[in-house]
């Protein structure tokens, strides 16, 4: 494709052909070149003391074994807090916790040796869910083991409740969710060895989202300089947040084995091991107490957000932060109090997952809005429309929404596209007058949601991300960024943004593989920040490069810089027109490659106080409304989703097909969380620890989809673009439960809405 103005076009994906033909090399496809293989010995207990580790039965002379005593003084994954051990030392805190590592020239020999490692445990009483965690944790002397807190206070909540005409209370729960990415975790660690085989550093290639996170973790673990550690991304088969935090752990394991064996070591998890050992979505319990006027106007909201962090802190403080910041929903309310807390349990650590805490709290507030509508006897769309944010409204942090506010717009579009109110009322009447005929029950449900783009509060200021472009000797413009493409299309949209910024065609732009030895630190590929924040950096870097060439063209032409224009890939002066490529060729011949870099610049007059949680939490917000239509079998309570309508404002659509794909895939993932994906547990062990038993939506579960993309550009993103990756996760589950309630009269407050839960709740349903 060879034309300008690429933003807004559905270009061919640069990685598409290689992936569909099988030529793309994922981690397990890479040539091994003499790699040894690593495996992990894991705890069978949720909570236990380690009394001994005996490796005397391992007789294979080539086998190398690593335990906590071999790690060194920095035996922790270096995230927010250093409490997550790389290998358990003295005790284990969840089933599947790594205790020992084994490597050998073949995987079969490594697995055999791992079975011969004998570990003796002294089991301790575990804390396995929020109910037990609230009663107390033996690890903290019987007190609740609090991993993080976060509170917001806005207005005068007590006065708001005093002025309320109706008060509605509710409690809402969500469970674990498995990422179910198509490719399990995998890493190859190649040691750098000195003349005496001393360990000088390591080269990591892995299936991961955040190369510089892994780089930071390994430089800390080995206490080495940044130059000693190199991290590169291999072609990655999905992440959804699951490859944000955990690659630090598996990379550490592979690197430790590489150091012990003086060989490259490859670790690739089987699916069952991946599910047992890696992070999940935080289970939640959210309590709402809401004061309203009889016309549905919100006057006070009192919200408690409780998350299950699992065994270690990992990313829980920032997951909680986003959960709390979104807990009041996309609604204006003058008086809001939100209290957030994360408690520890003896389950695998919970960490990053698409939406990052917001889906849990938005599920709760949307179901609370449904309860308010039912209590007042008004349309659930009407109560949302009455309270939805408008420009000029203040959020619970005191942020004034000044631009790109689309809550009302997405609701209006959802209403007209689905005839929601009319059909919701029709279904309600049919439910109230139905006979027991065995015919399916039909329902329709709606949700409104928002999602902050980029890091919360001062996160982007602290990160100070960088992005760069380079005019190479072959005249290609190379994108240099640590932002990874793990299926969402980053490589393609970056090419579009940079092509338009530089005024060149798409075939002139290439993207360098994320490699910490080459690319600057653009921050992690998380938080709906890739297009808005990093794409914005790359646009500025591209414009800088084009400006440097424009100045060079002026010098070459002997005219004043003001007399040179760059338009549609051509430098124009009063003397004539010169193609971009010709000026670039002359520059490279005289000066060599040309680099241009941009660093994050905070929004002027934007502040956020992390002590009080007051100020501008996010530079921009995405907005969405979902309408879900269902059929429920009245005998079995099996739910079938028949249609999904999504309305999403993402600022500016860079690539329409991929943007729609993000919305459709993310919403389907949200729907799966809402009615299919139940992570069952017994004694701290996941019972459905494989894809045969952990149910996720398939093509057979995918409804007809109408995907509507609205464009309300923001000044904070390239060409007006906002984030889209996480927004679709926020609205599917509550819209689905409202649809089930519309069909059956059963008002669930807990997901997933399995047939068993619907049957139990049917005994107590409200009429």
């Amino acid at each position: 494709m060879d034309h300008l103005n690429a933003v807004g076009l559905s270009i061919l994906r640069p990685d598409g052909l290689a992936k569909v033909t099988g030529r793309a090399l994922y981690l397990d496809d890479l040539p091994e070149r003499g790699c040894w293989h690593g495996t992990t010995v894991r705890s069978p207990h949720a909570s236990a003391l380690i009394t001994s580790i005996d490796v005397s039965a391992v007789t294979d002379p080539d086998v190398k074994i690593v335990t906590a005593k071999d790690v060194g003084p920095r035996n922790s994954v270096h995230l927010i807090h250093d409490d997550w051990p790389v290998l358990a030392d003295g005790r284990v805190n969840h089933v599947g916790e790594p205790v020992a590592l084994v490597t050998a020239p073949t995987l079969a020999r490594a697995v055999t040796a791992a079975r011969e490692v004998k570990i003796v445990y002294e089991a301790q009483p575990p804390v396995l869910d929020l109910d037990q965690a609230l009663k107390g944790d033996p690890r903290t002397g019987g007190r609740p083991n609090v991993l993080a807190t976060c509170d917001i206070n806005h207005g005068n909540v007590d006065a708001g409740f005093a002025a309320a005409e109706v008060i509605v209370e509710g409690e809402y729960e969500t469970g674990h969710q498995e990422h179910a990415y198509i490719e399990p975790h995998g890493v190859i660690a190649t040691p750098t060895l000195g003349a005496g085989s001393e360990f000088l550093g390591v080269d990591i290639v892995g299936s991961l989202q955040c190369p510089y996170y892994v780089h930071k973790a390994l430089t800390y673990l080995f206490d080495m300089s940044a130059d000693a550690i190199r991290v590169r991304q291999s072609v990655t088969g999905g992440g959804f947040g699951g490859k944000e935090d955990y690659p630090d752990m598996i990379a550490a394991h592979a690197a430790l084995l590489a150091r012990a064996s003086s060989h490259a070591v490859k670790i690739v998890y089987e699916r069952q091991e991946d599910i047992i050992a890696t992070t999940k979505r935080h289970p939640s319990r959210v309590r709402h107490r809401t004061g309203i006027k009889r016309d549905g106007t919100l006057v006070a909201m009192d919200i408690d957000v409780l998350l299950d962090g699992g065994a270690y802190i990992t990313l829980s403080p920032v997951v909680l932060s986003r959960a709390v910041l979104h807990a009041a929903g996309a609604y204006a309310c003058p008086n809001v109090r939100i209290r957030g807390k994360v408690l520890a349990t003896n389950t695998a650590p919970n960490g990053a997952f698409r939406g990052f805490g917001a889906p849990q709290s938005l599920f709760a507030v949307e179901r609370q809005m449904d309860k308010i509508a039912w209590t007042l006897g008004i349309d659930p769309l009407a109560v949302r429309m009455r309270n939805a944010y408008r420009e000029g409204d203040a959020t619970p942090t005191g942020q004034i929404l000044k631009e790109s506010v689309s809550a009302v717009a997405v609701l209006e579009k959802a209403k007209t596209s689905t005839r929601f109110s009319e059909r919701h009322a029709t279904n309600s009447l049919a439910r109230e007058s139905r006979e027991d005929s065995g015919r399916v029950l039909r329902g329709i449900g709606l949700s409104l949601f928002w999602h902050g783009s980029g890091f919360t509060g001062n996160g982007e200021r602290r990160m100070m991300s960088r992005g760069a472009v380079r005019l190479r000797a072959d005249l290609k413009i190379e994108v240099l960024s640590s932002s990874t493409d793990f299926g969402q299309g980053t490589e393609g949209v970056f090419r579009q943004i940079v092509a338009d910024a530089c005024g060149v065609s798409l075939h002139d732009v290439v993207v360098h593989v994320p490699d910490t030895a080459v690319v600057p630190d653009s921050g992690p590929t998380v938080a709906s920040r890739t297009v808005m924040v990093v794409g914005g950096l790359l646009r500025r870097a591209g414009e800088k490069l084009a400006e440097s060439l424009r100045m060079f063209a002026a010098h070459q032409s002997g005219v004043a810089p003001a007399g040179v224009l760059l338009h549609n890939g051509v430098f124009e002066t009063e003397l004539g027109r010169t193609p971009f490529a010709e000026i670039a060729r002359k520059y490279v011949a005289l000066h060599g490659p040309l680099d241009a870099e941009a660093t994050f610049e905070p929004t002027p007059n934007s502040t956020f106080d992390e002590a009080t949680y007051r100020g501008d939490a996010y530079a921009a917000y995405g907005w969405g409304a979902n309408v879900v239509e269902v059929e429920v079998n009245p005998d079995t309570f099996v739910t079938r989703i028949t249609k999904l309508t999504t309305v999403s404002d993402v600022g500016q659509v860079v690539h329409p097909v991929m943007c729609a794909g993000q919305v459709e895939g993310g919403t389907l993932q949200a729907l799966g969380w809402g009615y299919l994906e139940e992570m069952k547990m017994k004694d701290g062990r996941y019972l459905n620890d494989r894809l045969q038993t952990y149910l996720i939506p398939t093509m057979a579960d995918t409804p007809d989809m109408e995907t509507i993309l609205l464009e309300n550009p923001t000044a904070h993103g390239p060409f007006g673009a906002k984030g889209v990756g996480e927004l679709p996760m926020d609205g599917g589950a509550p819209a689905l439960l409202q649809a089930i309630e519309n069909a059956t009269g059963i008002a669930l407050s807990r997901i997933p809405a399995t047939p068993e839960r619907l049957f139990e709740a049917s005994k107590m349903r409200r009429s």
Side-chain angles (χ1 to χ4, degrees):
M1 182 173 274
D2 186 14
H3 48 70
L4 305 179
N5 302 316
V7 168
L9 300 177
S10 293
I11 67 168
L12 290 176
R13 288 184 59 137
D15 58 340
L17 187 60
K19 287 180 175 177
V20 300
T21 59
R23 293 202 307 271
L25 298 180
Y26 292 83
L27 192 284
D28 207 23
D29 300 321
L30 295 175
E32 295 185 356
R33 296 190 179 93
C35 266
W36 283 27
H37 292 262
T39 191
T40 311
V41 181
R42 300 185 179 279
S43 166
H45 300 282
S47 178
L49 301 178
I50 301 171
T51 60
S52 66
I53 301 176
D54 183 1
V55 300
S56 61
V58 180
T59 58
D60 188 328
D62 290 326
V63 165
K64 299 296 181 182
I65 299 172
V66 173
T67 63
K69 66 181 178 59
D70 306 305
V71 174
R74 296 182 168 188
N75 180 18
S76 63
V77 177
H78 193 47
L79 281 167
I80 294 175
H81 296 276
D82 298 332
D83 71 319
W84 191 13
V86 172
L87 288 173
D89 188 3
R91 69 166 296 126
V92 292
N93 287 305
H94 66 89
V95 171
E97 183 161 7
V99 180
L101 306 171
V102 180
T103 189
T106 70
L107 181 58
R109 290 167 67 182
V111 170
T112 297
R115 290 174 181 152
E116 294 168 341
V117 175
K118 305 302 180 185
I119 304 174
V120 178
Y121 300 92
E122 181 183 318
Q124 303 285 302
V127 175
L128 299 177
D129 56 34
L130 286 173
D131 286 330
Q132 293 179 354
L134 286 166
K135 293 176 183 177
D137 191 319
R139 292 170 291 180
T140 49
R143 302 182 306 277
N145 191 348
V146 180
L147 300 182
T149 61
C150 181
D151 299 336
I152 294 176
N153 292 282
H154 180 64
N156 187 325
V157 172
D158 293 337
F161 278 109
E165 297 172 339
V166 179
I167 295 175
V168 177
E169 298 188 36
E171 180 176 290
Y172 308 95
E173 295 188 18
T174 68
H176 286 99
Q177 186 180 20
E178 163 61 27
H179 298 89
Y181 26 67
I182 196 170
E183 178 199 24
H185 279 275
V187 162
I188 296 173
T190 304
T192 303
L193 302 175
S197 294
E198 67 270 26
F199 182 73
L200 301 179
V202 67
D203 185 325
I204 297 291
V205 178
S207 178
L208 48 87
Q209 290 181 223
C210 310
Y212 273 97
Y213 274 15
V214 176
H215 186 268
K216 173 186 173 185
L218 295 186
T219 54
Y220 174 83
L221 175 66
F222 293 112
D223 193 14
M224 287 183 163
S225 69
D227 292 341
I229 309 295
R230 181 182 185 184
V231 181
R232 291 174 287 156
Q233 183 208 16
S234 57
V235 177
T236 299
F240 308 117
K243 293 176 183 172
E244 175 182 351
D245 42 26
Y246 199 83
D248 296 3
M249 177 69 83
I250 187 174
H253 289 170
L256 287 166
L257 289 175
R259 182 177 70 173
S261 66
S262 298
H263 286 84
V265 173
K266 176 180 180 180
I267 301 178
V268 177
Y269 287 170
E270 296 290 339
R271 180 64 67 174
Q272 184 182 21
E273 182 179 19
D274 196 289
I275 292 177
I276 289 170
T278 65
T279 55
K280 303 284 178 285
R281 185 183 298 283
H282 290 70
S284 72
R285 178 177 298 164
V286 182
R287 292 191 177 97
H288 275 262
R289 183 168 180 260
T290 310
I292 49 179
K293 297 293 187 181
R294 294 195 184 279
D295 65 359
T297 302
L298 297 172
V299 294
M301 303 176 81
D302 194 4
I303 307 168
D304 285 300
V305 178
L306 185 63
L307 300 181
D308 177 347
Y312 300 107
I313 292 175
T314 66
L315 296 172
S316 288
V318 280
V319 173
L320 177 67
S321 171
R322 190 173 284 264
V324 164
L325 286 164
H326 288 78
Y331 305 106
C333 182
N335 308 292
V336 180
R337 178 168 56 218
I338 309 169
R339 292 174 291 260
K341 186 180 297 183
V342 183
L343 297 182
T345 57
N346 289 115
T347 63
N350 298 311
F353 200 131
R354 188 182 208 159
F356 211 72
Q360 293 96 311
S361 60
L362 286 167
F363 169 77
V365 72
E366 284 302 286
R367 290 304 285 149
Q368 179 75 353
M369 295 299 284
D370 293 339
K371 192 170 186 178
I372 290 168
W374 178 84
T375 300
L376 297 176
I378 60 179
D379 183 336
L381 171 61
V383 75
R384 287 168 168 81
M385 192 70 78
R386 175 174 295 277
N387 294 287
Y389 277 131
R390 275 84 168 167
E391 282 192 16
D393 283 337
T395 73
T397 68
Q399 179 176 0
I400 305 301
L401 299 174
K402 298 175 182 177
E403 51 107 68
S404 193
V405 180
S406 300
V408 172
V410 296
L411 283 174
E412 290 281 8
K413 190 64 177 179
K415 173 185 176 181
T416 57
S417 297
T418 64
R419 297 186 296 114
F420 174 82
S421 296
E422 173 189 337
R423 296 173 64 201
H424 189 275
T426 298
N427 290 336
S428 295
L429 289 173
R431 182 187 73 240
E432 293 167 2
S433 61
R434 72 171 181 260
E435 298 178 355
D436 189 9
S437 63
R439 290 182 296 179
V440 297
L441 310 174
R442 292 184 173 84
I444 188 170
L446 172 140
S447 63
L448 170 67
F449 47 97
W450 63 331
H451 200 95
S453 294
F455 283 149
T456 296
N458 297 317
E460 296 294 349
R461 289 182 178 88
R462 282 196 300 271
M463 180 64 66
M464 292 305 290
S465 302
R466 296 176 294 133
V469 296
R470 172 178 296 153
L471 175 63
R472 303 190 315 198
D474 62 1
L475 305 187
K476 295 292 186 184
I477 296 174
E478 187 172 46
V479 178
L480 301 172
S481 159
S482 63
S483 294
T484 54
D485 190 332
F486 43 94
Q488 77 278 39
T490 299
E491 183 178 354
V493 298
F494 279 0
R495 288 181 67 219
Q496 290 175 276
I497 290 168
V498 170
D500 281 7
C502 292
V504 299
S505 58
L506 279 166
H507 79 265
D508 292 322
V509 182
V510 296
V511 178
H512 198 288
V513 173
D515 178 347
T516 59
V518 179
V519 303
D521 187 353
S522 308
T525 312
V526 300
S528 297
R529 66 184 297 275
T530 300
V531 171
M532 190 182 89
V533 177
V534 183
L537 293 175
L538 294 174
R539 180 186 182 181
R540 286 171 43 215
E543 291 170 343
K544 284 184 178 180
L545 186 144
E547 176 63 10
S548 294
L549 289 178
R550 191 181 71 83
M551 298 295 287
F552 176 75
H555 178 75
Q556 288 284 299
S557 302
V559 300
V564 181
L565 299 177
L566 174 58
H567 181 66
N568 287 337
V570 176
F571 288 97
E572 300 178 354
T573 72
E574 59 184 14
L575 303 177
R577 294 159 52 88
T578 308
F580 184 98
E582 184 174 332
I583 296 297
R585 185 178 297 108
K586 290 180 179 179
Y587 183 95
V588 169
L590 286 172
H591 304 290
L594 172 62
D595 291 342
E597 184 176 281
T599 301
F600 175 77
E601 296 178 356
T603 304
N605 303 317
S606 173
T607 61
F608 189 79
D609 186 331
E610 293 184 349
T612 62
Y613 257 59
R614 301 294 296 170
D616 296 340
Y618 301 98
Y621 295 85
W623 307 86
N626 286 349
V627 176
V628 175
E629 301 174 39
V630 301
E631 293 178 348
V632 182
N633 186 302
D635 298 319
T636 66
F637 290 100
V638 170
T639 298
R640 185 172 78 90
I641 303 172
T642 58
K643 187 172 182 184
L644 167 67
T645 302
T646 59
V647 186
S648 307
D649 163 37
V650 297
Q652 162 68 45
V653 179
V654 177
H655 189 295
V657 168
M658 287 198 294
C659 186
Q662 283 283 292
V663 171
E664 292 168 3
T667 310
L668 186 62
Q669 192 172 39
L671 294 173
W673 183 50
Y675 82 123
L676 285 178
E677 300 183 36
E678 183 178 19
M679 182 62 81
K680 297 181 179 180
M681 186 181 294
K682 181 179 180 181
D683 299 327
R685 180 179 297 279
Y686 300 127
L687 297 179
N688 43 341
D689 57 3
R690 59 205 73 197
L691 292 183
Q692 292 96 323
T693 52
Y694 182 82
L695 301 181
I696 61 174
T698 67
M699 287 298 293
D701 305 296
T702 303
D704 291 337
M705 294 184 179
E706 181 179 0
T707 305
I708 302 168
L709 301 176
L710 299 184
E711 293 181 318
N712 188 358
T714 176
H716 302 285
F719 307 101
K722 298 185 279 194
V724 67
E726 295 179 297
L727 179 70
M729 192 73 219
D730 292 333
L736 170 62
L737 263 65
Q738 189 195 113
I740 292 172
E741 182 177 1
N742 183 230
T744 65
I746 301 171
L748 285 188
S749 58
R750 182 183 180 192
I751 56 173
T754 61
E756 294 82 1
R757 284 182 179 162
L758 287 169
F759 173 72
E760 290 299 321
S762 70
K763 302 173 185 178
M764 301 177 289
R765 77 178 138 201
R766 63 187 183 226
S767 59

